[in-house]
Amino acid sequence: MELRIKIKPIHPFILEAIDVVPERVSLITIGAKNLPALRSFYQKLGWSELEISSDHYCVFTTAGVLLSLFPLEELIKDSGLESVETTSGFKGITFAINVDQPQQVDLVTDEVRAAGGKIIREASDAFWGGRTSYFLDPEGNAWEVAWNSTAEFDARGAMIRF
């Protein structure tokens, strides 16, 4: 791995090396078309919200990163991007919930279904040796539920390698 650093002067005779771009994903924001409905879905999964959540924004804790929901129109304004009208179809990105045991894929899939998620691929053995299923949240964001025998998790439950 190549280490890219930038030298930052902290005193006329002392230099400090800092990472230019830290290797981490800390927050993922989904632009919500209907924030209350999308929030309700993730609450039904049993996910906990941080205190910073409000009527106009919410943040759920996960083992690895924070997942935030923000009104889509506000996210478009904030990012400076133009709106692309897509009503259906694959958006080119999936999120994943990796589990510890193969049977957990089935259990999580059942819980997602009970919470109102649309199962688009039932739990099954994957060609790569694991077990997987896919679902869509109420706004069509694609999620994979996966078990991989080589996955390693840290003490918080965040996947660190596979």
PDB file of all heavy atoms in Angstrom, residues 5-30:
ATOM      1  N   ILE A   5       1.173  11.217   2.036  1.00  0.00           N
ATOM      2  CA  ILE A   5       1.104  12.128   3.171  1.00  0.00           C
ATOM      3  C   ILE A   5       1.344  13.553   2.705  1.00  0.00           C
ATOM      4  O   ILE A   5       1.888  13.794   1.635  1.00  0.00           O
ATOM      5  CB  ILE A   5       2.124  11.763   4.281  1.00  0.00           C
ATOM      6  CG1 ILE A   5       3.551  11.793   3.739  1.00  0.00           C
ATOM      7  CG2 ILE A   5       1.790  10.433   4.905  1.00  0.00           C
ATOM      8  CD1 ILE A   5       4.617  11.662   4.792  1.00  0.00           C
ATOM      9  N   LYS A   6       0.920  14.449   3.514  1.00  0.00           N
ATOM     10  CA  LYS A   6       1.134  15.865   3.275  1.00  0.00           C
ATOM     11  C   LYS A   6       1.840  16.404   4.510  1.00  0.00           C
ATOM     12  O   LYS A   6       1.529  16.018   5.626  1.00  0.00           O
ATOM     13  CB  LYS A   6      -0.218  16.564   3.080  1.00  0.00           C
ATOM     14  CG  LYS A   6      -0.110  18.034   2.778  1.00  0.00           C
ATOM     15  CD  LYS A   6      -1.501  18.605   2.531  1.00  0.00           C
ATOM     16  CE  LYS A   6      -1.389  20.067   2.173  1.00  0.00           C
ATOM     17  NZ  LYS A   6      -2.705  20.647   1.873  1.00  0.00           N
ATOM     18  N   ILE A   7       2.788  17.263   4.306  1.00  0.00           N
ATOM     19  CA  ILE A   7       3.523  17.856   5.421  1.00  0.00           C
ATOM     20  C   ILE A   7       2.836  19.158   5.815  1.00  0.00           C
ATOM     21  O   ILE A   7       2.594  20.027   4.977  1.00  0.00           O
ATOM     22  CB  ILE A   7       4.997  18.107   5.051  1.00  0.00           C
ATOM     23  CG1 ILE A   7       5.658  16.818   4.557  1.00  0.00           C
ATOM     24  CG2 ILE A   7       5.747  18.712   6.219  1.00  0.00           C
ATOM     25  CD1 ILE A   7       5.659  15.693   5.577  1.00  0.00           C
ATOM     26  N   LYS A   8       2.492  19.265   7.080  1.00  0.00           N
ATOM     27  CA  LYS A   8       1.813  20.448   7.585  1.00  0.00           C
ATOM     28  C   LYS A   8       2.718  21.128   8.613  1.00  0.00           C
ATOM     29  O   LYS A   8       3.109  20.514   9.597  1.00  0.00           O
ATOM     30  CB  LYS A   8       0.498  20.031   8.244  1.00  0.00           C
ATOM     31  CG  LYS A   8      -0.253  21.178   8.904  1.00  0.00           C
ATOM     32  CD  LYS A   8      -1.553  20.700   9.502  1.00  0.00           C
ATOM     33  CE  LYS A   8      -1.335  20.411  10.961  1.00  0.00           C
ATOM     34  NZ  LYS A   8      -2.566  20.095  11.675  1.00  0.00           N
ATOM     35  N   PRO A   9       3.074  22.393   8.379  1.00  0.00           N
ATOM     36  CA  PRO A   9       3.898  23.090   9.374  1.00  0.00           C
ATOM     37  C   PRO A   9       3.056  23.413  10.612  1.00  0.00           C
ATOM     38  O   PRO A   9       1.975  23.964  10.503  1.00  0.00           O
ATOM     39  CB  PRO A   9       4.350  24.364   8.666  1.00  0.00           C
ATOM     40  CG  PRO A   9       3.414  24.547   7.527  1.00  0.00           C
ATOM     41  CD  PRO A   9       2.804  23.217   7.217  1.00  0.00           C
ATOM     42  N   ILE A  10       3.532  22.982  11.780  1.00  0.00           N
ATOM     43  CA  ILE A  10       2.831  23.324  13.015  1.00  0.00           C
ATOM     44  C   ILE A  10       3.644  24.302  13.860  1.00  0.00           C
ATOM     45  O   ILE A  10       3.179  24.795  14.860  1.00  0.00           O
ATOM     46  CB  ILE A  10       2.483  22.056  13.835  1.00  0.00           C
ATOM     47  CG1 ILE A  10       3.734  21.242  14.171  1.00  0.00           C
ATOM     48  CG2 ILE A  10       1.478  21.203  13.085  1.00  0.00           C
ATOM     49  CD1 ILE A  10       3.468  20.070  15.083  1.00  0.00           C
ATOM     50  N   HIS A  11       4.860  24.558  13.404  1.00  0.00           N
ATOM     51  CA  HIS A  11       5.760  25.504  14.061  1.00  0.00           C
ATOM     52  C   HIS A  11       6.833  25.806  13.025  1.00  0.00           C
ATOM     53  O   HIS A  11       7.107  24.975  12.157  1.00  0.00           O
ATOM     54  CB  HIS A  11       6.360  24.854  15.324  1.00  0.00           C
ATOM     55  CG  HIS A  11       7.220  25.781  16.113  1.00  0.00           C
ATOM     56  ND1 HIS A  11       8.549  25.948  15.841  1.00  0.00           N
ATOM     57  CD2 HIS A  11       6.929  26.604  17.149  1.00  0.00           C
ATOM     58  CE1 HIS A  11       9.057  26.827  16.687  1.00  0.00           C
ATOM     59  NE2 HIS A  11       8.095  27.236  17.489  1.00  0.00           N
ATOM     60  N   PRO A  12       7.477  26.958  13.048  1.00  0.00           N
ATOM     61  CA  PRO A  12       8.481  27.250  12.020  1.00  0.00           C
ATOM     62  C   PRO A  12       9.545  26.166  11.848  1.00  0.00           C
ATOM     63  O   PRO A  12      10.089  25.998  10.768  1.00  0.00           O
ATOM     64  CB  PRO A  12       9.111  28.565  12.492  1.00  0.00           C
ATOM     65  CG  PRO A  12       8.042  29.215  13.304  1.00  0.00           C
ATOM     66  CD  PRO A  12       7.281  28.082  13.951  1.00  0.00           C
ATOM     67  N   PHE A  13       9.850  25.398  12.904  1.00  0.00           N
ATOM     68  CA  PHE A  13      10.904  24.387  12.811  1.00  0.00           C
ATOM     69  C   PHE A  13      10.380  22.962  12.953  1.00  0.00           C
ATOM     70  O   PHE A  13      11.164  22.019  12.971  1.00  0.00           O
ATOM     71  CB  PHE A  13      11.973  24.645  13.886  1.00  0.00           C
ATOM     72  CG  PHE A  13      12.568  26.021  13.781  1.00  0.00           C
ATOM     73  CD1 PHE A  13      12.270  26.993  14.724  1.00  0.00           C
ATOM     74  CD2 PHE A  13      13.401  26.355  12.726  1.00  0.00           C
ATOM     75  CE1 PHE A  13      12.800  28.264  14.624  1.00  0.00           C
ATOM     76  CE2 PHE A  13      13.936  27.624  12.622  1.00  0.00           C
ATOM     77  CZ  PHE A  13      13.638  28.587  13.568  1.00  0.00           C
ATOM     78  N   ILE A  14       9.063  22.797  13.071  1.00  0.00           N
ATOM     79  CA  ILE A  14       8.488  21.467  13.278  1.00  0.00           C
ATOM     80  C   ILE A  14       7.450  21.206  12.183  1.00  0.00           C
ATOM     81  O   ILE A  14       6.582  22.023  11.927  1.00  0.00           O
ATOM     82  CB  ILE A  14       7.810  21.365  14.660  1.00  0.00           C
ATOM     83  CG1 ILE A  14       8.826  21.657  15.767  1.00  0.00           C
ATOM     84  CG2 ILE A  14       7.183  19.988  14.838  1.00  0.00           C
ATOM     85  CD1 ILE A  14       8.197  21.753  17.143  1.00  0.00           C
ATOM     86  N   LEU A  15       7.568  20.058  11.549  1.00  0.00           N
ATOM     87  CA  LEU A  15       6.620  19.653  10.528  1.00  0.00           C
ATOM     88  C   LEU A  15       5.885  18.410  11.016  1.00  0.00           C
ATOM     89  O   LEU A  15       6.458  17.561  11.691  1.00  0.00           O
ATOM     90  CB  LEU A  15       7.328  19.346   9.213  1.00  0.00           C
ATOM     91  CG  LEU A  15       8.107  20.501   8.581  1.00  0.00           C
ATOM     92  CD1 LEU A  15       8.824  20.011   7.323  1.00  0.00           C
ATOM     93  CD2 LEU A  15       7.183  21.653   8.244  1.00  0.00           C
ATOM     94  N   GLU A  16       4.614  18.306  10.657  1.00  0.00           N
ATOM     95  CA  GLU A  16       3.806  17.158  11.037  1.00  0.00           C
ATOM     96  C   GLU A  16       3.260  16.505   9.773  1.00  0.00           C
ATOM     97  O   GLU A  16       2.758  17.187   8.883  1.00  0.00           O
ATOM     98  CB  GLU A  16       2.645  17.623  11.925  1.00  0.00           C
ATOM     99  CG  GLU A  16       1.708  16.506  12.321  1.00  0.00           C
ATOM    100  CD  GLU A  16       0.526  17.022  13.134  1.00  0.00           C
ATOM    101  OE1 GLU A  16      -0.283  17.797  12.584  1.00  0.00           O
ATOM    102  OE2 GLU A  16       0.424  16.649  14.302  1.00  0.00           O
ATOM    103  N   ALA A  17       3.365  15.174   9.689  1.00  0.00           N
ATOM    104  CA  ALA A  17       2.818  14.448   8.543  1.00  0.00           C
ATOM    105  C   ALA A  17       1.361  14.098   8.840  1.00  0.00           C
ATOM    106  O   ALA A  17       1.038  13.613   9.922  1.00  0.00           O
ATOM    107  CB  ALA A  17       3.618  13.168   8.303  1.00  0.00           C
ATOM    108  N   ILE A  18       0.473  14.380   7.876  1.00  0.00           N
ATOM    109  CA  ILE A  18      -0.935  14.037   8.033  1.00  0.00           C
ATOM    110  C   ILE A  18      -1.396  13.273   6.802  1.00  0.00           C
ATOM    111  O   ILE A  18      -0.858  13.451   5.708  1.00  0.00           O
ATOM    112  CB  ILE A  18      -1.826  15.284   8.242  1.00  0.00           C
ATOM    113  CG1 ILE A  18      -1.689  16.245   7.061  1.00  0.00           C
ATOM    114  CG2 ILE A  18      -1.512  15.986   9.533  1.00  0.00           C
ATOM    115  CD1 ILE A  18      -2.682  17.391   7.072  1.00  0.00           C
ATOM    116  N   ASP A  19      -2.384  12.395   6.983  1.00  0.00           N
ATOM    117  CA  ASP A  19      -2.968  11.696   5.848  1.00  0.00           C
ATOM    118  C   ASP A  19      -3.663  12.708   4.957  1.00  0.00           C
ATOM    119  O   ASP A  19      -4.362  13.590   5.428  1.00  0.00           O
ATOM    120  CB  ASP A  19      -4.012  10.678   6.315  1.00  0.00           C
ATOM    121  CG  ASP A  19      -3.390   9.455   6.948  1.00  0.00           C
ATOM    122  OD1 ASP A  19      -2.215   9.185   6.666  1.00  0.00           O
ATOM    123  OD2 ASP A  19      -4.092   8.777   7.714  1.00  0.00           O
ATOM    124  N   VAL A  20      -3.478  12.577   3.661  1.00  0.00           N
ATOM    125  CA  VAL A  20      -4.157  13.451   2.715  1.00  0.00           C
ATOM    126  C   VAL A  20      -5.636  13.073   2.652  1.00  0.00           C
ATOM    127  O   VAL A  20      -6.509  13.893   2.855  1.00  0.00           O
ATOM    128  CB  VAL A  20      -3.512  13.379   1.322  1.00  0.00           C
ATOM    129  CG1 VAL A  20      -4.306  14.192   0.321  1.00  0.00           C
ATOM    130  CG2 VAL A  20      -2.070  13.868   1.386  1.00  0.00           C
ATOM    131  N   VAL A  21      -5.920  11.815   2.398  1.00  0.00           N
ATOM    132  CA  VAL A  21      -7.291  11.319   2.372  1.00  0.00           C
ATOM    133  C   VAL A  21      -7.341  10.082   3.261  1.00  0.00           C
ATOM    134  O   VAL A  21      -6.823   9.028   2.892  1.00  0.00           O
ATOM    135  CB  VAL A  21      -7.731  10.962   0.938  1.00  0.00           C
ATOM    136  CG1 VAL A  21      -9.153  10.432   0.941  1.00  0.00           C
ATOM    137  CG2 VAL A  21      -7.598  12.154   0.009  1.00  0.00           C
ATOM    138  N   PRO A  22      -7.925  10.195   4.446  1.00  0.00           N
ATOM    139  CA  PRO A  22      -7.997   9.032   5.339  1.00  0.00           C
ATOM    140  C   PRO A  22      -8.735   7.877   4.663  1.00  0.00           C
ATOM    141  O   PRO A  22      -9.731   8.090   3.961  1.00  0.00           O
ATOM    142  CB  PRO A  22      -8.787   9.549   6.542  1.00  0.00           C
ATOM    143  CG  PRO A  22      -8.686  11.036   6.474  1.00  0.00           C
ATOM    144  CD  PRO A  22      -8.563  11.376   5.017  1.00  0.00           C
ATOM    145  N   GLU A  23      -8.272   6.657   4.877  1.00  0.00           N
ATOM    146  CA  GLU A  23      -8.898   5.466   4.299  1.00  0.00           C
ATOM    147  C   GLU A  23     -10.054   5.030   5.187  1.00  0.00           C
ATOM    148  O   GLU A  23      -9.933   4.102   5.990  1.00  0.00           O
ATOM    149  CB  GLU A  23      -7.874   4.343   4.169  1.00  0.00           C
ATOM    150  CG  GLU A  23      -6.788   4.643   3.179  1.00  0.00           C
ATOM    151  CD  GLU A  23      -5.783   3.511   3.072  1.00  0.00           C
ATOM    152  OE1 GLU A  23      -6.030   2.398   3.580  1.00  0.00           O
ATOM    153  OE2 GLU A  23      -4.728   3.747   2.479  1.00  0.00           O
ATOM    154  N   ARG A  24     -11.185   5.706   5.049  1.00  0.00           N
ATOM    155  CA  ARG A  24     -12.347   5.340   5.851  1.00  0.00           C
ATOM    156  C   ARG A  24     -13.623   5.885   5.213  1.00  0.00           C
ATOM    157  O   ARG A  24     -13.616   6.901   4.548  1.00  0.00           O
ATOM    158  CB  ARG A  24     -12.223   5.834   7.277  1.00  0.00           C
ATOM    159  CG  ARG A  24     -12.232   7.332   7.410  1.00  0.00           C
ATOM    160  CD  ARG A  24     -12.246   7.764   8.888  1.00  0.00           C
ATOM    161  NE  ARG A  24     -11.779   9.136   8.964  1.00  0.00           N
ATOM    162  CZ  ARG A  24     -10.747   9.533   9.680  1.00  0.00           C
ATOM    163  NH1 ARG A  24     -10.070   8.679  10.384  1.00  0.00           N
ATOM    164  NH2 ARG A  24     -10.398  10.789   9.696  1.00  0.00           N
ATOM    165  N   VAL A  25     -14.688   5.146   5.428  1.00  0.00           N
ATOM    166  CA  VAL A  25     -16.025   5.611   5.098  1.00  0.00           C
ATOM    167  C   VAL A  25     -16.731   5.749   6.432  1.00  0.00           C
ATOM    168  O   VAL A  25     -16.867   4.774   7.170  1.00  0.00           O
ATOM    169  CB  VAL A  25     -16.774   4.617   4.182  1.00  0.00           C
ATOM    170  CG1 VAL A  25     -18.197   5.077   3.935  1.00  0.00           C
ATOM    171  CG2 VAL A  25     -16.018   4.429   2.876  1.00  0.00           C
ATOM    172  N   SER A  26     -17.150   6.950   6.767  1.00  0.00           N
ATOM    173  CA  SER A  26     -17.704   7.180   8.097  1.00  0.00           C
ATOM    174  C   SER A  26     -19.201   7.452   8.107  1.00  0.00           C
ATOM    175  O   SER A  26     -19.870   7.228   9.103  1.00  0.00           O
ATOM    176  CB  SER A  26     -16.963   8.327   8.779  1.00  0.00           C
ATOM    177  OG  SER A  26     -16.843   9.422   7.905  1.00  0.00           O
ATOM    178  N   LEU A  27     -19.746   7.935   6.993  1.00  0.00           N
ATOM    179  CA  LEU A  27     -21.164   8.272   6.918  1.00  0.00           C
ATOM    180  C   LEU A  27     -21.654   8.054   5.499  1.00  0.00           C
ATOM    181  O   LEU A  27     -21.005   8.485   4.543  1.00  0.00           O
ATOM    182  CB  LEU A  27     -21.382   9.745   7.314  1.00  0.00           C
ATOM    183  CG  LEU A  27     -22.795  10.284   7.223  1.00  0.00           C
ATOM    184  CD1 LEU A  27     -23.649   9.747   8.368  1.00  0.00           C
ATOM    185  CD2 LEU A  27     -22.786  11.803   7.268  1.00  0.00           C
ATOM    186  N   ILE A  28     -22.779   7.381   5.365  1.00  0.00           N
ATOM    187  CA  ILE A  28     -23.440   7.217   4.074  1.00  0.00           C
ATOM    188  C   ILE A  28     -24.797   7.877   4.200  1.00  0.00           C
ATOM    189  O   ILE A  28     -25.542   7.603   5.140  1.00  0.00           O
ATOM    190  CB  ILE A  28     -23.591   5.734   3.692  1.00  0.00           C
ATOM    191  CG1 ILE A  28     -22.209   5.116   3.476  1.00  0.00           C
ATOM    192  CG2 ILE A  28     -24.472   5.578   2.456  1.00  0.00           C
ATOM    193  CD1 ILE A  28     -22.226   3.629   3.235  1.00  0.00           C
ATOM    194  N   THR A  29     -25.121   8.769   3.261  1.00  0.00           N
ATOM    195  CA  THR A  29     -26.404   9.460   3.275  1.00  0.00           C
ATOM    196  C   THR A  29     -27.241   9.013   2.099  1.00  0.00           C
ATOM    197  O   THR A  29     -26.780   9.051   0.961  1.00  0.00           O
ATOM    198  CB  THR A  29     -26.208  10.988   3.231  1.00  0.00           C
ATOM    199  OG1 THR A  29     -25.435  11.385   4.367  1.00  0.00           O
ATOM    200  CG2 THR A  29     -27.542  11.713   3.246  1.00  0.00           C
ATOM    201  N   ILE A  30     -28.469   8.612   2.384  1.00  0.00           N
ATOM    202  CA  ILE A  30     -29.435   8.275   1.346  1.00  0.00           C
ATOM    203  C   ILE A  30     -30.389   9.453   1.219  1.00  0.00           C
ATOM    204  O   ILE A  30     -30.962   9.903   2.217  1.00  0.00           O
ATOM    205  CB  ILE A  30     -30.226   7.002   1.710  1.00  0.00           C
ATOM    206  CG1 ILE A  30     -29.295   5.790   1.770  1.00  0.00           C
ATOM    207  CG2 ILE A  30     -31.355   6.772   0.702  1.00  0.00           C
ATOM    208  CD1 ILE A  30     -29.971   4.509   2.234  1.00  0.00           C
TER     209      ILE A  30
END
